[in-house]
Amino acid sequence: MKNWVVGNWKMHGSLSMVTRFIPTLLDGLTEVRGWEQAARVLICPPFPYIAPVAQKLTGYAVGVGAQDVHPLHQGAFTGEVAAPMLAELGVSACIVGHSERRRYNRESDALIGDKLRAVVTAGITPILCVGETLSQREAGRERQVVKRQVMSALKGLEPAAFAKVAVAYEPVWAIGTGRTATPEQANEMHQYIRTLLCANLSPEHGSATPLLYGGSVTPDNAARLLALPDINGALVGGASLKAESFLSILKHSLN
Ligand code: 13P
């Protein structure tokens, strides 16, 4: 399976950043032999920058992703963006259920499931984010929480459609804190998610699902995390805002 290296810019960036970042990334990639065969690389900028990023990436094997979506395909929902609109712009993946949206926008598991199905219907790969808070981990409830998040999001999805989904384990206590999960903690949860998927969907789809880790991934810890058998990529926040550090993580994913 290819290693996924996904940059989530969150609410950062500007047109001038796009103008500098993308050429630097593409230049850097020309020096990395064989990356297209080994990695799936995506940049998820804020909505207004999707079109300019997509335009600059035309003809390159770097994809553009979105950070959120509305569960319906059209309608009177002021300020919202629908999955077919994203598809039209060339978006190939969409983050769904990020913990920041669960927290600040009170997104429920049911809503996240609806968004996930809307994304799949539009032919876009959802990157379903799951992960426990610090207090949930301290109470020993991390598996229970992640199981609920995974199972409710995937409810009602045909096994064939599931072949499109990627899952990102992002422990909330590791996001933006500099406190990364240890490789053992991350791999243990990834193995658990894999077992869940195999048991509840099909062994075939469960073992083929890319499982990404996110939470304070940096050039310094990426190699150790990405070397683990059940970690198939990284969802990178802060360290994806500089082309140099994003490239460095990408290089570690190839080792
Ligand atoms: P950081 O890499 O900044 O911790 O963010 C992780 C994340 O939330 C990616 O979606």
Side-chain angles (χ1 to χ4, degrees):
M1 189 184 315
K2 284 187 182 186
N3 256 328
W4 291 43
V5 184
V6 183
N8 174 9
W9 286 5
K10 308 192 178 183
M11 200 171 71
H12 295 288
S14 61
L15 275 181
S16 68
M17 174 190 166
V18 169
T19 308
R20 279 177 282 115
F21 184 102
I22 303 296
T24 310
L25 175 66
L26 295 175
D27 271 2
L29 284 173
T30 60
E31 287 156 28
V32 187
R33 282 220 352 227
W35 68 270
E36 291 106 324
Q37 285 75 47
R40 177 160 181 193
V41 184
L42 285 153
I43 306 287
C44 304
F47 286 132
Y49 306 130
I50 286 178
V53 166
Q55 197 233 328
K56 287 192 187 319
L57 291 176
T58 306
Y60 295 91
V62 179
V64 64
Q67 300 175 16
D68 186 37
V69 69
H70 192 272
L72 297 179
H73 277 183
Q74 61 174 22
F77 300 102
T78 303
E80 297 289 346
V81 176
M85 301 172 186
L86 297 173
E88 213 174 18
L89 292 182
V91 163
S92 56
C94 181
I95 296 170
V96 174
H98 193 282
S99 63
E100 285 151 12
R101 294 206 62 86
R102 292 179 191 262
R103 178 171 175 202
Y104 301 123
N105 300 74
R106 302 214 166 80
E107 291 198 2
S108 65
D109 287 324
L111 174 64
I112 290 162
D114 290 343
K115 289 186 175 197
L116 189 133
R117 284 184 290 281
V119 167
V120 170
T121 306
I124 297 172
T125 299
I127 302 175
L128 169 67
C129 294
V130 298
E132 79 286 358
T133 62
L134 184 59
S135 61
Q136 288 165 334
R137 177 165 279 265
E138 283 173 347
R141 293 179 49 231
E142 66 273 17
R143 286 188 171 204
Q144 193 185 326
V145 169
V146 166
K147 180 177 183 181
R148 190 203 70 225
Q149 292 171 338
V150 170
M151 297 316 297
S152 60
L154 301 179
K155 203 160 63 188
L157 202 65
E158 293 292 319
F162 188 76
K164 284 216 151 265
V165 180
V167 177
Y169 171 55
E170 297 206 305
V172 178
W173 45 272
I175 295 178
T177 57
R179 187 180 161 189
T180 327
T182 63
E184 293 71 30
Q185 282 171 324
N187 201 51
E188 190 190 297
M189 185 60 89
H190 281 226
Q191 279 173 349
Y192 175 65
I193 297 171
R194 178 88 64 213
T195 310
L196 263 182
L197 299 179
C198 287
N200 291 282
L201 293 154
S202 73
E204 183 200 343
H205 291 113
S207 49
T209 302
L211 298 184
L212 284 58
Y213 169 80
S216 297
V217 176
T218 64
D220 294 333
N221 58 32
R224 270 182 301 133
L225 287 160
L226 292 167
L228 291 161
D230 273 303
I231 300 188
N232 314 120
L235 181 52
V236 188
S240 74
L241 295 171
K242 292 263 183 298
E244 294 76 10
S245 54
F246 188 63
L247 264 168
S248 167
I249 292 170
L250 173 62
K251 286 179 192 163
H252 287 303
S253 80
L254 305 178
N255 296 328

